[in-house]
Amino acid sequence: MIELFRSLLIGVAAAALCGSAAVLFAKGKAMQEVLRLATGIAILLAVLQPLSQFRLPNPFGHGVKQAQEVVLEHGETEQALAQAAAQQVETYVEQRAGQLGIPCTAQLTLTQDAEGKTLVTGVQLSCSQTADIQALSQMLAAECGIPKELQTWNWTD
């Protein structure tokens, strides 16, 4: 900061000294006016040139960093919400299967598309071979929107 003021003062003093000397030795009013204008421009440049190298701290730098952290947290939050929703759907499927008299466990398969949205790409059901899977399969398609093609059955004894 002191270096900035030093270069600013030296530049202004040099421009003023050279300009005033030129005005003193100039002959004619028109030439003096032109030299005064040139001296004023030189002094202005002597002030602005050191200031162009001065950099203020970015007052929004901290806010930008916080915004980036929020975006990252938002992505993590969306993923956590998707996992929680998947858990609720799994619990619902297991409860509905229990109501139909089919004890089973459900595991949803999730993926993310190009936009970052979480999609259900399938369900894996574990139940006994004697279970009536047709009713459960229809319930998954009708109530959960999971077609038969995305349903995988694992038989347990």
Side-chain angles (χ1 to χ4, degrees):
M1 187 65 124
I2 293 175
E3 186 63 34
L4 173 74
F5 288 123
R6 181 176 174 268
S7 63
L8 192 126
L9 288 174
I10 290 173
V12 169
L17 184 64
C18 291
S20 61
V23 169
L24 283 177
F25 294 118
K27 295 184 180 176
K29 283 278 199 198
M31 183 58 120
Q32 286 180 344
E33 292 300 319
V34 169
L35 288 174
R36 282 190 188 123
L37 177 65
T39 302
I41 292 173
I43 291 172
L44 185 63
L45 289 175
V47 169
L48 293 179
Q49 193 275 333
L51 290 178
S52 69
Q53 297 171 359
F54 183 66
R55 297 286 178 242
L56 291 173
N58 186 357
F60 302 109
H62 183 66
V64 170
K65 186 176 181 181
Q66 283 182 334
Q68 290 171 344
E69 290 172 0
V70 167
V71 168
L72 290 176
E73 289 174 7
H74 180 68
E76 293 170 359
T77 304
E78 281 187 15
Q79 196 172 29
L81 287 173
Q83 291 295 333
Q87 183 65 36
Q88 287 181 345
V89 170
E90 290 169 358
T91 304
Y92 175 76
V93 168
E94 291 170 3
Q95 288 174 349
R96 285 290 288 138
Q99 290 173 355
L100 294 172
I102 307 168
C104 71
T105 59
Q107 178 76 34
L108 287 179
T109 307
L110 305 174
T111 59
Q112 288 189 341
D113 65 359
E115 296 175 359
K117 294 180 182 177
T118 303
L119 305 173
V120 176
T121 56
V123 63
Q124 197 171 46
L125 297 147
S126 300
C127 58
S128 66
Q129 277 187 320
T130 59
D132 180 22
I133 64 166
Q134 191 65 20
L136 186 56
S137 179
Q138 288 175 354
M139 185 276 302
L140 285 171
E143 295 180 21
C144 300
I146 303 171
K148 290 182 180 183
E149 299 84 40
L150 298 179
Q151 301 171 10
T152 306
W153 298 90
N154 292 330
W155 307 116
T156 59
D157 291 328

